[in-house]
Amino acid sequence: NLAVNAENSARILEEGGVPPLVQLLRSPAKRIQENACLAMRNITGNGPNELKIVMEGGLPPLISLMRSPLKNLQEQAAATIRNLSADDVIKVKFVQEGGLGPLVQLLDVTEPLTREHVVAALANLTMDNANDDSIVQAGALQSLVSLLKDPSVRTQEHAAICLRNLSTNAEIKVKIVQKGGLGALVTLLQSPDIIVREHCTVALRNLSSADENKAQIVKDGGLPPLIELLDCTEEHVVVEAAVAIQNLSMLSGNEAPIVQAGAIRGLVPLLASEDPTIQDAASGALANLSSFADHDDRIVQAGALPHLAKLCLSPHVVISEHATALVRNLTAYNAEVKMRAFEAGCLQPMVQLLRSRERIILQNSVATIRNLSFHPEVKVRLVEDGAVAHLVGLLSSADVEVQEHAAAGLRNIMAES
């Protein structure tokens, strides 16, 4: 009872209370074990206290108590381990002491509080990716996937954290899907709890980077909730959803379902974001989608062009690459779109980028100028803006594609209307 108070916990530590409590964890009397464990639980939560418990040999008896047939002892031991496992040093020590097996076995107990403590402890352990393989080998994956459907929101949250962290591992990504984790994560994207939604979104972002999972996420209904999250007020959630959609758009065959699900309406406003990560994801996804001519009108109608005119000159190379690629694709065929791009101010950035030393940006810029240079008004502007001298210079480029587009652009400029 005294240990509930933080000041009292510190005093217990100062008075040398930890060693006898550790000894009492091994008492043959179950009631004494339970009280000693509960005292340990109350003392933990303060860094120095936690390390002191481990230094005094507290981990082995706590691990042993997780194997107890008594539910109260299981709960108190799991809660104490939950507190201790927040410390990076203790994480390592816990695994070395053989704690993973007993902890994982408690994932399937019927007591809700014990389950929550156990999965929260595992969430702490997954913060160190050195533990990933050991956790999977201990058989945790299937239980973690099942706990995504737990009635407790907090248990769902911790299970989602575990899968979020484990899904950074390339091999484990595939195993999570094989265990049915994809559908469960997609379902929780519609959770009323924003924290649960966030962790599930990050997990899906991680899973979506594997080609094996891209089609399955779409098949399992992941697109609508991901697109809905693009309007989330929590910016970090928007980032994860946008990156996930960008990843999905990289798979040939996903473009049409992504557009049909309404992604363009959600992605285009993100081009105006101040966050480079969001700009990158949104422009990258739209660039992938714009490789199909029938999607171009939707992107233009959604108001992308003025934003792209600014993003083409982004100091972030990857954003400039995406933006210039998108404008290049949009202006490839449709005469009306060509003029709308010109009117939206997309020409001037492309002229400036004719001096770029980035190969992809240069290719996109000179190709866009070629696309736009058919119109008389554009030709005049190109001459006024000094594009001709740059195009002539690019005729000597070592890049054959750049040479071709520069020559075609000059041909268009000199051709009579």
Side-chain angles (χ1 to χ4, degrees), residues 262-335:
I264 289 175
R265 292 191 302 274
L267 290 168
V268 168
L270 299 183
L271 296 174
S273 170
E274 297 296 324
D275 187 329
T277 307
I278 293 178
Q279 293 173 349
D280 176 15
S283 60
L286 288 168
N288 293 336
L289 298 177
S290 70
S291 58
F292 288 78
D294 56 340
H295 300 160
D296 293 353
D297 283 342
R298 299 191 190 195
I299 295 173
V300 173
Q301 292 296 334
L305 288 172
H307 302 307
L308 292 172
K310 297 178 182 178
L311 291 182
C312 285
L313 296 176
S314 170
H316 302 278
V317 172
V318 68
I319 295 174
S320 181
E321 287 179 354
H322 291 326
T324 53
L326 182 46
V327 176
R328 174 183 180 174
N329 292 343
L330 293 175
T331 58
Y333 303 107
N334 189 305

Side-chain angles (χ1 to χ4, degrees), residues 21-22 25 33-46 49-50 53-54 58-59 61-63 65-66 72-87 90 94 103 106 113-114 116-118 120-121 124:
L21 283 173
V22 169
L25 291 175
Q33 285 183 325
E34 182 180 350
N35 285 328
C37 193
L38 185 53
M40 286 289 198
R41 173 183 177 179
N42 293 336
I43 289 172
T44 53
N46 182 302
N49 294 358
E50 293 163 359
I53 290 170
V54 174
L59 276 180
L62 285 169
I63 291 170
L65 289 178
M66 286 195 294
N72 285 346
L73 279 174
Q74 290 177 354
E75 179 187 338
Q76 300 308 330
T80 307
I81 294 297
R82 173 184 183 174
N83 293 341
L84 292 172
S85 61
D87 182 273
I90 297 175
F94 177 78
L103 187 68
L106 290 180
L113 284 177
T114 304
E116 180 183 334
H117 294 316
V118 171
N124 289 338

Side-chain angles (χ1 to χ4, degrees), residues 350-361:
M350 297 301 179
V351 173
Q352 292 183 46
L353 291 172
L354 291 177
R355 299 189 291 270
S356 176
R357 295 183 179 181
E358 299 292 337
R359 182 179 63 87
I360 295 175
I361 294 174

Side-chain angles (χ1 to χ4, degrees), residues 3 101 144 167 196 209-210 227 270 288 293 306 336 348 387:
L144 289 172
S167 62
V196 172
S209 66
I227 292 169
L270 299 183
N288 293 336
E336 182 181 348
Q348 181 58 38

Side-chain angles (χ1 to χ4, degrees), residues 142-308:
Q142 189 64 68
S143 296
L144 289 172
V145 169
S146 298
L147 289 175
L148 291 174
K149 303 174 184 177
D150 195 272
S152 166
V153 173
R154 296 285 69 85
T155 298
Q156 291 176 359
E157 174 191 338
H158 296 305
I161 292 172
C162 289
L163 294 173
R164 178 200 71 185
N165 295 337
L166 292 171
S167 62
T168 60
N169 181 297
E171 294 182 1
I172 297 176
K173 278 183 175 69
V174 179
K175 292 180 180 179
I176 291 173
V177 175
Q178 291 172 345
K179 298 292 185 181
L182 205 51
L185 288 167
V186 167
T187 298
L188 282 183
L189 288 179
Q190 298 176 334
S191 168
D193 188 280
I194 183 61
I195 298 175
V196 172
R197 293 206 305 273
E198 176 187 352
H199 293 309
C200 290
T201 305
V202 178
L204 283 171
R205 181 207 66 186
N206 294 339
L207 294 175
S208 67
S209 66
D211 288 341
E212 303 94 321
N213 297 337
K214 288 180 169 66
Q216 194 63 43
I217 290 173
V218 173
K219 183 179 179 181
D220 284 357
L223 279 175
L226 281 173
I227 292 169
E228 185 178 343
L229 288 173
L230 296 178
D231 292 325
C232 180
T233 55
E234 302 289 336
E235 193 168 84
H236 51 285
V237 176
V238 175
V239 169
E240 305 301 342
V243 173
I245 292 170
Q246 180 188 19
N247 289 341
L248 296 176
S249 71
M250 294 177 183
L251 180 69
S252 178
N254 273 355
E255 300 90 351
I258 291 173
V259 172
Q260 291 166 3
I264 289 175
R265 292 191 302 274
L267 290 168
V268 168
L270 299 183
L271 296 174
S273 170
E274 297 296 324
D275 187 329
T277 307
I278 293 178
Q279 293 173 349
D280 176 15
S283 60
L286 288 168
N288 293 336
L289 298 177
S290 70
S291 58
F292 288 78
D294 56 340
H295 300 160
D296 293 353
D297 283 342
R298 299 191 190 195
I299 295 173
V300 173
Q301 292 296 334
L305 288 172
H307 302 307
L308 292 172

